[in-house]
Amino acid sequence: MGEFELIRQIFEPVARSVTHPDLRLGIGDDCAIQQVGPGRELVFSVDTLVEGVHFPANYDPRHLATRALGVAVSDLAAMGADPVCYTLALTLPEARRHWLEAFAESLASASDDFRIALAGGDTTRGPLTLTLQVHGTVPAGQTLRRSGAAPGDLIVVSGSLGDAAGALACLEQPSPTLAQEHLLARYHRPLPRLALGTALRGLATSAIDVSDGLLADVAHLAQASGCRADLDAASIPLSSSLREVCGEQALLHALSGGDDYELCFTLPPRHWQSLQAAVDVPLARVGEMVAGQGVQVHNDGTSIASGIGGYDHFGVPGD
């Protein structure tokens, strides 16, 4: 299958499956065109996933599609953005129709779930790699950023943490238990918290998605805001499945495992109760911003987490 035939047969149907009024021109030209109306801010982000680094070799193409798009769209959620469109650069060792059709079917389903349109992209031959650039818009002045937290703000996370990291040991399990299946679902199909992100506009003082582990990502908020993050280990939400599968390692996965794509944000205490009532997602207060620098984790009054770091592409684990 040639490059242009691949685009026409495989990816043009995905682009037609979801449209957006702000996407003025998609696949078929040198550039896509996105209209940004008065009073709106354009936000965009790009993510690259490489076989053997971000997903295992011989990974199911259906899982790869949902994972790749979910990871990319999560950045829009962290900014409080409404999704508009995305581009996909796909590097393939070979163009196998069965693989591509399974990938495209799953990609179309995920595009529909997140209401984001495929605007175009590129294909080439080489080691399996995906790069997705996502575009979204936010009302002017309401974009969520990493900076802005102040001493006294609550540190809040959505959902539960550590499940995707716990799934790594289950990927080759031929007959996973129900608990393992729960963890695997969190790894294969990350669900960006788009509705929560938009609900945080005008309320949260800073926000980030948990991609590299809670410690690493809350450290970004603390550094950007000029604060210290104090975390309470007992308050970090862990699923019963993670506890069952990983036992004593559950908390470590939540702190440093990454790939959860939940939102971590800071919130003035006065907004806590009203936010809980306004959103349909579990929220947990896991700490507080205070004066100082860095991150501290306490468990029953004892400081822990020394030497525990998040994911770093080029660093040594634990650095």
Side-chain angles (χ1 to χ4, degrees):
M1 185 186 306
E3 176 184 359
F4 298 107
E5 192 70 8
L6 182 157
I7 293 169
R8 187 182 68 81
Q9 293 189 22
I10 301 299
F11 291 109
E12 283 189 2
V14 178
R16 290 194 298 268
S17 69
V18 179
T19 60
H20 194 284
D22 288 347
L23 180 60
R24 308 301 296 171
L25 179 66
I27 288 178
D29 216 306
D30 286 320
C31 291
I33 301 174
Q34 178 183 340
Q35 176 180 326
V36 179
R40 304 288 291 184
E41 293 178 338
L42 169 69
V43 297
F44 53 93
S45 176
V46 64
D47 282 285
T48 295
L49 284 76
V50 179
E51 184 177 45
V53 178
H54 302 97
F55 58 91
N58 302 312
Y59 195 42
D60 188 319
R62 296 166 298 178
H63 295 328
L64 180 57
T66 56
R67 179 167 171 74
L69 189 58
V71 167
V73 172
S74 182
D75 285 335
L76 296 180
M79 301 292 289
D82 296 309
V84 174
C85 61
Y86 68 100
T87 57
L88 167 66
L90 180 61
T91 303
L92 294 165
E94 56 182 329
R96 290 182 289 136
R97 176 178 289 276
H98 177 74
W99 190 99
L100 284 162
E101 288 177 344
F103 176 85
E105 180 180 1
S106 186
L107 186 66
S109 177
S111 300
D112 185 54
D113 288 343
F114 306 147
R115 304 310 304 160
I116 188 167
L118 176 62
D122 188 30
T123 58
T124 190
R125 180 185 291 271
L128 182 58
T129 305
L130 300 86
T131 297
L132 293 91
Q133 180 165 332
V134 290
H135 290 238
T137 62
V138 183
Q142 295 188 36
T143 304
L144 303 178
R145 302 186 181 187
R146 296 183 181 185
S147 58
D153 284 352
L154 306 177
I155 302 172
V156 183
V157 297
S158 63
S160 60
L161 301 181
D163 287 345
L168 294 177
C170 310
L171 289 173
E172 302 301 325
Q173 179 62 252
S175 300
T177 65
L178 288 177
Q180 290 172 332
E181 286 182 350
H182 171 85
L183 302 186
L184 288 167
R186 292 291 307 276
Y187 179 85
H188 293 320
R189 190 176 179 83
L191 298 177
R193 297 293 191 178
L194 289 164
L196 175 60
T198 58
L200 292 177
R201 296 171 184 166
L203 299 179
T205 52
S206 67
I208 193 170
D209 66 336
V210 182
S211 57
D212 296 327
L214 178 61
L215 284 181
D217 291 317
V218 79
H220 292 314
L221 299 184
Q223 182 176 17
S225 300
C227 297
R228 189 182 83 209
D230 277 5
L231 298 177
D232 175 17
S235 300
I236 296 172
L238 308 176
S239 70
S240 58
S241 296
L242 182 67
R243 293 181 187 273
E244 178 182 332
V245 173
C246 299
E248 294 181 355
Q249 294 296 307
L251 178 60
L252 178 62
H253 287 320
L255 289 172
S256 62
D259 279 342
D260 292 304
Y261 300 100
E262 297 290 349
L263 293 189
C264 175
F265 57 94
T266 55
L267 189 76
R270 66 182 182 275
H271 294 316
W272 172 240
Q273 290 187 340
S274 61
L275 178 63
Q276 283 185 298
V279 299
D280 187 23
V281 57
L283 301 176
R285 298 168 50 172
V286 298
E288 181 180 355
M289 287 293 188
V290 300
Q293 299 179 12
V295 180
Q296 288 193 357
V297 185
H298 303 279
N299 193 4
D300 293 331
T302 301
S303 180
I304 64 171
S306 176
I308 300 175
Y311 183 78
D312 183 338
H313 285 279
F314 301 104
V316 178
D319 279 3

